[in-house]
Amino acid sequence: MSGTSTNGRSKSLSINRDAQVMIDQARAEGIATVWDRLADQQPQCGYCALGLSCRNCAMGPCRIDPFGEGPQRGVCGADADVIVARNLGRTIAAGSSSHSDHGRDILEAFGQLARGETTGYRIVDEEKLRRIAGEVGVTTDGRTVEEVAIDLADVLQEDYGTRRGSLSFTARAPGARRDKWEAAGITPRGIDRENVEMLHRTHMGVDNDYVNTLLHALRTGLSDGWGGSMIATELSDVMFGTPTPVMSEVNLGVLKTDQVNIAMHGHNPLLSDVICAAAQDPDLVELAQSVGAKGINVVGLCCTGNEMLMRRGVPIAGNHLMQELVLITGALEAMVVDYQCIMPSIVDVAKCYHTKIISTSDKAKFTGATHISFDPGHAAEVAERIVRTAIEAYPDRNHGRVRIPGQPVKMMGGFSVEAILGALGGTPKPLVDAIAAGSIRGAVAVVGCNNPKLPQDLEHIELTRRLIENDILVLVTGCAAVANGKSGHMVPEASAMAGPGLRAVCEALGIPPVLHVGSCVDNSRIMVLVAALADYLGVDIDQLPVAGAAPEWYSEKAVAIGAYVVASGITTVLGVQPPVFGSPHVVDLLANGLEGVVGATFVVEPDPAKAALFIRRHIETKRQGLGLPFVEPDTMRIDDNDSAPMVLIGAAVEG
Ligand code: SF4
Ligand code: MSK
């Protein structure tokens, strides 16, 4: 189908040809997708877009007039600052809770595994288990792996509701960083505690000082990045293996016309890992063959896809905006979902085909879907039942309707911190040396989602391309990773796209200039890596020549990530405007004031060229601070329109 032409509308919605073909197909078949629904929602509420609406109590809902002519206070008296700050705090709590509850699910299954109460799981990385256990004070010498695991599970459970002063993994942050957190009163204490306190503070009549509210919002984010997400990542590595570089493939071309296709969508590897194992069960493969298929093809979507790709090299069909389009291929027998980023609409789209939507989490049911409750205590049995259900759908496939556009693109994943340091010989020294010599000028984490308000993947790809061209190493997670995979940025040969310094380093190590670090929760790996670099140099994280970017973010989780990344000392550029512009004071705090508190700020810049220029200047400034050779950005390779003024939310970041 690669020769199929696409129309102008679909080209304006996504830069990916497979997506364009399917968007056209959806329209031809009268199937509504996310882009149609976004159009139906226009105009979207301006008060909400500015963060100026509040429905926190039944005296409201209230809104503040941004033009100063209408009401400037809600019924309770809350002004724009209070309302915007409360809304942002609640958003961060929702995102942080999502990651942390995912981490809790893994932690509980890990505890069950340790006690011998699961099927389908084992401790895959015992070395990492013992290392983490030792780190948090669990005795490891002379003890069985199960004994160590039980104690580790107990210690980490405590982090959810601890009455200690700080979370276990905050000890990984440089001392200077922890001092800044203490000074600002934002050291995260218990994961659940910070989230509950955020909801408490934003109840009517509690925290009515926007600075105080936003500082706690940072603490709530830190409880995610150095708590829930980090627990999720570390224990997933222990249970499913610490990723090492692995080749895989990406885009809708990973589907097979002659096999039972199962797409795993959501976030938690507890489910996807056992489904991958079940799909290789000879009895189930034989069952698939008995209904006319050649085999069973498991593919990923969104972050559960990243989890499978990182550890097993399982191909990934796409990122966030592909979840409806993959159904429209007509080639899926089942989409198996757990939670987060799963559009309710998939049930309606699947009804147009033979595809089963199988929900699995009792906390994430979808009306109209087939629910098969997932229980780690019977993981292998549940996985078998799910795969069997998918196979049974195959005879209902209308082969004449199947349309799989394009060929898959090769991509490399598997860059855990252990793998990155391993490639460097076990220490950060070669990376630090390369940065000091200027062959690598710095590093940027490009993370986050797709958002239908932007052409799919365009911002991710344009920003990343400009960064690597300028010798800036890029680390990617989540949907940003999938976007870069589709664009061909994530194979060793892509080093040809990089500037001369970065290219030489990548060629010497045989790695791409864009490293796949994992799923959304795996942004915690980036925290571990920057902490290791800072410790090696004897500096704080905010002194490193690094930055963050979320060019196409949409989710509350992305806001929580932004909060902990900035609170950890990494200035972060958002490509989509957050709903804070109704309060100039809140904007000033986020864009300027945080510099004096955590040494980093938020920036909003939707133009990837301008975002790249800002980041480049930021990195050069940080290099200068470390006494490293400074290169005036104007002498670096700059595209024509890079010199235009940036649209930023704070004067401090104006170049
Ligand atoms: Fe209105 Fe205040 Fe209630 Fe919000 S908390 S809905 S601003 S009265
Ligand atoms: S899946 S949070 S759309 S990255 Fe993690 Fe992608 Fe964003 Fe979901």
Side-chain angles (χ1 to χ4, degrees), residues 54-62 74-78 83 86 204:
C54 180
R55 53 177 181 77
N56 287 9
C57 87
M59 293 190 287
C62 304
V75 176
C76 67
I83 289 176
R86 283 196 309 214
M204 201 296 280

Side-chain angles (χ1 to χ4, degrees), residues 404-460:
I404 301 173
Q407 295 299 314
V409 176
K410 296 254 182 259
M411 70 182 285
M412 186 183 251
F415 289 95
S416 58
V417 175
E418 291 84 345
I420 293 171
L421 294 180
L424 298 171
T427 86
K429 184 173 186 308
L431 181 57
V432 169
D433 289 348
I435 292 173
S439 46
I440 295 178
R441 306 214 63 79
V444 175
V446 179
V447 308
C449 327
N450 286 147
N451 188 319
K453 294 176 176 175
L454 303 167
Q456 185 199 12
D457 292 350
L458 177 65
E459 309 271 320
H460 288 308

Side-chain angles (χ1 to χ4, degrees), residues 99 265-267 301-304 306 318-321 323 339-342 447-451 460 477-482 518-521 523 552-558 561:
H99 283 148
H265 180 17
H267 279 79
L301 275 170
C302 288
C303 277
T304 214
N306 285 319
N319 43 7
H320 182 55
L321 291 182
Q323 59 185 290
Y339 41 56
Q340 299 171 15
C341 303
I342 300 153
V447 308
C449 327
N450 286 147
N451 188 319
H460 288 308
T477 60
C479 292
V482 184
S519 64
C520 307
V521 293
N523 286 307
E552 301 181 27
W553 73 275
Y554 93 89
S555 77
E556 292 167 314
K557 293 179 293 170
I561 293 168

Side-chain angles (χ1 to χ4, degrees), residues 552-589:
E552 301 181 27
W553 73 275
Y554 93 89
S555 77
E556 292 167 314
K557 293 179 293 170
V559 187
I561 293 168
Y564 75 70
V565 169
V566 169
S568 298
I570 301 174
T571 287
T572 296
V573 182
L574 307 176
V576 177
Q577 184 173 305
V580 297
F581 283 79
S583 165
H585 289 135
V586 169
V587 169
D588 185 54
L589 179 66

